[in-house]
Amino acid sequence: MQRYFVKQRTNGDRFLIDEEDRHHIVKVMRMQIGDQIICVDQEGKQAVCALAEITDTSVVADVVQWKDEVSELPISITIASGLPKGDKLEWIIQKGTELGAHQFLPFSAARSVVKWDEKKAAKKIDRWQKIAKEAAEQSHRAFLPEVLDSISFKELLTKSKDFKYKLVAFEEESRNGETSVFASTLRKMNKGDSLLLVFGPEGGLTDEEVQQLKNIDFAVCGLGPRILRTETAPLYALAAISYHFELMR
């Protein structure tokens, strides 16, 4: 059954679907009146709905049954990635959404080869957000992760104040055999807590960047004995978080 994140709900039990999702329902899936879909509202409430009206601009779907399912991590995870090359950030967003990330925050690190182009920013963000939306629908998420505009490292330091827990993954910690910080941080966290996870670009974070993060109460952690690529490390962390909070219950 196809799943759609819907912005508009009318009369409580009626969803109004337009734009790309309307096109997908009518032109791609070729659905008819009475066919069923799953709609998710902006509060994360999910319902099996039946198509009631199809017009040139929208589709109306009526609730058949509200669903009581839990598919979200109990803590809010923001993945901050130093801008990587190529389509690596798209991979992080797609797979990170499937693994339960709440938000994605690209930033320009000292060793980022890619330079952020403000003229192309809106188009990039739209593409990244679409990737997150499709991944959230595919993985039966009840929440649509947000992809934020890329910021500078200095702005990242300021924004980190919004989070209760803050970790930076640093390969030197892995080389030195550090194994406890990541796990001990997860053990401290409770349902509803927020965690900011910072990862460097391909060349990693500089010692100076790591020190600046430590100065504002970031805990520095390793992610096991192997050195992970910039696009692999966030997924490793999210998988470990899911195991800790969802499979060990």
Side-chain angles (χ1 to χ4, degrees), residues 108-144:
S108 296
R111 292 174 176 159
S112 290
V113 175
V114 173
K115 302 304 177 186
W116 187 246
D117 187 343
E118 290 294 343
K119 295 179 180 178
K120 300 178 180 179
K123 190 173 182 180
K124 275 186 175 289
I125 296 297
D126 285 347
R127 174 169 171 75
W128 291 341
Q129 193 63 64
K130 183 177 180 181
I131 289 170
K133 179 177 181 293
E134 291 174 351
E137 290 169 345
Q138 181 274 323
S139 57
H140 288 205
R141 293 283 302 271
F143 177 82
L144 179 58

Side-chain angles (χ1 to χ4, degrees), residues 34 89 224 245:
L89 189 56
F245 285 102

Side-chain angles (χ1 to χ4, degrees), residues 45-245:
K45 295 178 181 178
Q46 309 171 61
V48 175
C49 300
L51 302 189
E53 298 176 21
I54 299 176
T55 72
D56 291 340
T57 58
S58 65
V59 169
V60 175
D62 290 335
V63 173
V64 174
Q65 180 183 9
W66 288 99
K67 296 170 66 68
D68 186 19
E69 295 181 352
V70 178
S71 59
E72 295 300 312
L73 285 169
I75 60 173
S76 174
I77 309 295
T78 293
I79 301 295
S81 296
L83 283 171
K85 295 183 290 185
D87 60 358
K88 292 177 181 178
L89 189 56
E90 295 182 4
W91 175 264
I92 294 170
I93 291 168
Q94 182 187 61
K95 301 309 175 186
T97 296
E98 292 178 30
L99 288 166
H102 181 86
Q103 198 174 61
F104 297 93
L105 178 58
F107 69 94
S108 296
R111 292 174 176 159
S112 290
V113 175
V114 173
K115 302 304 177 186
W116 187 246
D117 187 343
E118 290 294 343
K119 295 179 180 178
K120 300 178 180 179
K123 190 173 182 180
K124 275 186 175 289
I125 296 297
D126 285 347
R127 174 169 171 75
W128 291 341
Q129 193 63 64
K130 183 177 180 181
I131 289 170
K133 179 177 181 293
E134 291 174 351
E137 290 169 345
Q138 181 274 323
S139 57
H140 288 205
R141 293 283 302 271
F143 177 82
L144 179 58
E146 183 179 11
V147 184
L148 301 177
D149 200 351
S150 181
I151 59 177
S152 67
F153 183 77
K154 184 178 180 181
E155 290 171 322
L156 175 66
L157 298 178
T158 301
K159 190 167 183 60
S160 70
K161 297 174 184 177
D162 298 338
F163 298 86
K164 185 171 182 179
Y165 293 94
K166 299 175 286 189
L167 287 172
V168 52
F170 189 42
E171 61 269 21
E172 291 304 322
E173 295 298 305
S174 294
R175 289 193 181 98
N176 294 332
E178 192 287 309
T179 59
S180 63
V181 172
F182 183 58
S184 63
T185 299
L186 298 185
R187 286 195 292 269
K188 294 175 190 175
M189 297 185 72
N190 297 308
K191 183 177 181 179
D193 284 344
S194 60
L195 171 63
L196 174 61
L197 277 165
V198 174
F199 302 90
E202 288 86 353
L205 296 168
T206 65
D207 291 339
E208 181 181 353
E209 286 172 326
V210 173
Q211 187 58 53
Q212 289 184 63
L213 292 169
K214 289 171 68 175
N215 290 344
I216 56 171
D217 299 324
F218 270 81
V220 184
C221 68
L223 296 176
R226 292 163 295 280
I227 305 303
L228 305 176
R229 290 178 180 269
T230 185
E231 68 271 29
T232 308
L235 309 185
Y236 174 99
L238 285 165
I241 290 168
S242 173
Y243 177 79
H244 178 86
F245 285 102

